[in-house]
Amino acid sequence: MATPEERSRAARIAANVQWATTANRAERTEAARRRSPVSLDYWIDRIRAEGIVREQDVVKAATNAHKAYMAQMSLKAAKARSRRAAEKKPSRKAA
């Protein structure tokens, strides 16, 4: 039985072989990009699936959902940066 390190090494080799033989990288990753919350297409599909918004308003609603998601991610990132900065600061002790 292979160790975790051996399995990881084999997986890295296989991934590199696959990418080395991929003619069109953008085409290969297109499906994943469409399913990503960063994509407007993701939000259009999600809004349509909910069935709440009229079809003529789907793109507007999806754009708003996308903006809200990106704003949430921005807020989370800012909080994480602030937390990491606070952890790096040495605490001051009273003399």
Side-chain angles (χ1 to χ4, degrees):
M1 183 169 198
T3 67
E5 292 80 13
E6 291 169 337
R7 286 194 305 271
S8 178
R9 185 177 303 119
R12 279 195 310 274
I13 291 168
N16 283 316
V17 168
Q18 284 185 346
W19 281 114
T21 59
T22 297
N24 187 337
R25 289 170 177 249
E27 184 179 291
R28 181 169 174 195
T29 59
E30 182 179 356
R33 284 193 314 272
R34 282 187 52 85
R35 289 190 302 267
S36 168
V38 175
S39 167
L40 184 60
D41 291 331
Y42 169 90
W43 294 103
I44 289 172
D45 293 345
R46 191 165 176 179
I47 295 294
R48 279 193 178 125
E50 290 175 359
I52 298 170
V53 178
R54 298 178 305 174
E55 187 58 33
Q56 63 262 32
D57 295 329
V58 165
V59 173
K60 289 180 183 177
T63 300
N64 289 125
H66 179 255
K67 286 180 181 180
Y69 174 79
M70 297 305 283
Q72 289 171 339
M73 294 297 102
S74 178
L75 179 60
K76 284 183 178 182
K79 285 181 178 180
R81 284 190 305 272
S82 178
R83 186 180 62 250
R84 282 192 303 268
E87 290 170 358
K88 285 183 180 179
K89 272 188 180 177
S91 61
R92 293 186 183 192
K93 294 185 178 183

